[in-house]
Amino acid sequence: AQTVTQSQPEMSVQEAETVTLSCTYDTSESDYYLFWYKQPPSRQMILVIRQEAYKQQNATENRFSVNFQKAAKSFSLKISDSQLGDAAMYFCAYRSAHSNYGQNFVFGPGTRLSVLP
Amino acid sequence: GAVVSQHPSRVICKSGTSVKIECRSLDFQATTMFWYRQFPKQSLMLMATSNEGSKATYEQGVEKDKFLINHASLTLSTLTVTSAHPEDSSFYICSAKGDTQETQYFGPGTRLLVL
């Protein structure tokens, strides 16, 4: 079974600075997807960024980028120019690319990010 | 973008009653819907996966007779908590995925409080 680990229960960053959230996962599969979701106080899950395992290039979405290291099974999220609105719970998630292994997400325990003004 | 709604957003009920939560995909056909439960300050725990027109697949430890899931159409899935007890109080989140989509889209969640 796949597992996702986020070793930082809480992180803080100064406004306008950069912060990196860690995520590692365990799988025997070669094809899969990785996601970072943000859950603000409203508790609505918001997709931040997505990475396909077959792509070597790291995904980027505006101020958000990932460092995907497939061999190390690591998928960290970098937030640049942090803003107050970035404060939230961040979840790393794994999904198999093969339907016979299930289409559900496996979520990590989350990292609570605080942004200091 | 893909939008998923949930209704109600918040419900309070008495112990022993049943509560139905609806999950709708508003602008796409959701062939698969997922139901999650989230306790305070914890991650999302998958309860069950439902494919349109089929019986739901429940995760280990989730009572299928207590948490009834129906996915009768490509835009609607319902979760019914039967004979609710205070320990069922939690935040319930649904997500939906279309056939050609790799991403799940989440509803805003339903906060259930059982007195």
Side-chain angles (χ1 to χ4, degrees), chain A residues 33 35 37 39 41-47 50 89 91 95-97 103-110 112, chain B residues 32 34 36 38-44 46 49 51 59 91 93 97 101-108 111:
Chain A
Y33 301 92
F35 304 81
Y37 277 89
Q39 189 180 41
S42 68
R43 303 192 79 173
Q44 169 74 62
M45 295 287 284
I46 301 167
L47 176 65
R50 181 185 109 171
M89 196 75 171
F91 293 100
R95 183 177 95 73
S96 171
Q103 300 180 60
N104 57 287
F105 283 13
V106 178
F107 283 94
R112 183 170 300 281
Chain B
T32 307
F34 305 86
Y36 296 87
Q38 187 180 30
F39 290 108
K41 298 186 179 181
Q42 292 190 23
S43 188
L44 280 70
L46 180 68
T49 303
N51 292 297
E59 295 299 299
F91 192 66
I93 306 176
K97 174 185 169 302
Q101 296 169 332
E102 299 304 340
T103 301
Q104 292 182 23
Y105 297 93
F106 286 84
R111 187 180 301 280

Side-chain angles (χ1 to χ4, degrees), chain A residues 1 4 68:
Chain A
V4 177
F68 174 47

Side-chain angles (χ1 to χ4, degrees), chain A residues 13 17-21 48 63-65 77-83 86 90 113:
Chain A
V13 62
E17 297 295 308
T18 295
V19 65
T20 298
L21 307 184
V48 175
R63 299 183 294 108
F64 300 87
S65 62
L77 174 70
K78 185 171 82 171
I79 306 174
S80 305
D81 186 25
S82 297
Q83 300 175 0
D86 294 334
Y90 285 80
L113 177 67

Side-chain angles (χ1 to χ4, degrees), chain B residues 53-68:
Chain B
S54 303
K55 288 184 178 180
T57 302
Y58 290 81
E59 295 299 299
Q60 194 171 8
V62 178
E63 298 176 58
K64 62 180 180 180
D65 294 331
K66 180 167 185 63
F67 299 99
L68 301 177

